[in-house]
């Protein structure tokens, strides 16, 4: 029940963690098949059935699946949060690249995703995938 439904003024506070925006491998590690293309889903199912683990090791979701995941996660968040609400993310907003030359693109993507979310305030707690020193 939201603050408004309770008759209380003020923003609602929501908490999330580990969305892992733009992190292709999280789709296979967590089985996020709802966001995968049909082709990726088929390859994922075959990889899961491979007893040697070779196919799963080689499996990488397509960019289309990753983008579907990003859009889907934002849509799920936006179904809950309102413009005046507060969202806390308790780590692993995205996945920091291993090489510093990609840091600018990483920060731009993080900002882009943040801008897709409709609430005005989002507070972040750094997770081990958000910081190269984590």
């Amino acid at each position: 029940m939201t603050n408004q439904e309770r008759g209380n003024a003020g923003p609602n506070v929501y908490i999330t963690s580990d969305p892992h925006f733009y992190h292709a491998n999280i789709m296979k590690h967590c089985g996020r098949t709802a966001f995968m293309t049909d082709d990726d889903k088929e390859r994922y199912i075959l990889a899961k059935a491979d007893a040697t683990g070779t196919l799963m090791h080689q499996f990488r979701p397509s960019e289309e699946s990753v983008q579907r995941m990003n859009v889907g996660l934002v849509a799920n968040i936006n179904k809950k949060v309102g413009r005046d609400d507060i969202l806390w993310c308790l780590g692993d907003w995205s996945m920091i690249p291993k090489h510093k030359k990609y840091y600018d693109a990483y920060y731009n993507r993080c900002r882009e995703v943040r801008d897709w979310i409709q609430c005005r305030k989002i507070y972040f707690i750094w997770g081990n995938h958000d910081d190269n020193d984590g």
Side-chain angles (χ1 to χ4, degrees):
M1 181 176 279
T2 66
N3 280 337
Q4 290 77 19
E5 291 168 337
R6 286 186 200 96
N8 298 335
N12 296 300
V13 177
Y14 294 94
I15 299 170
T16 190
S17 70
D18 301 280
H20 288 264
F21 291 107
Y22 287 99
H23 185 184
N25 278 335
I26 203 68
M27 296 181 80
K28 76 177 181 182
H29 295 314
C30 294
R32 291 183 177 179
T33 58
F35 301 118
M36 289 182 190
T37 64
D38 290 340
D39 183 53
D40 283 348
K41 204 177 296 185
E42 184 177 321
R43 290 185 308 113
Y44 175 78
I45 290 167
L46 289 172
K48 289 271 296 182
D50 175 27
T52 67
T54 303
L55 291 178
M56 188 58 80
H57 180 73
Q58 296 171 346
F59 176 73
R60 181 164 171 82
S62 66
E63 287 298 318
E64 181 181 352
S65 289
V66 173
Q67 192 60 19
R68 284 181 175 195
M69 177 182 71
N70 296 334
V71 169
L73 291 170
V74 168
N76 289 341
I77 291 169
N78 282 338
K79 284 179 191 173
K80 286 288 186 186
V81 301
R83 292 279 310 143
D84 296 323
D85 291 336
I86 296 169
L87 177 67
W88 280 86
C89 181
L90 306 182
D92 295 345
W93 183 256
S94 189
M95 176 74 167
I96 199 160
K98 292 178 181 169
H99 303 288
K100 289 186 180 196
K101 67 181 179 180
Y102 299 114
Y103 281 12
D104 285 344
Y106 163 77
Y107 289 114
N108 289 337
R109 290 189 318 197
C110 288
R111 181 64 209 199
E112 176 185 55
V113 170
R114 189 279 166 257
D115 289 344
W116 293 344
I117 296 174
Q118 65 185 348
C119 64
R120 289 188 186 142
K121 291 185 180 179
I122 301 179
Y123 296 102
F124 299 96
I125 295 175
W126 287 98
N128 63 313
H129 288 123
D130 296 314
D131 185 359
N132 224 11
D133 297 326

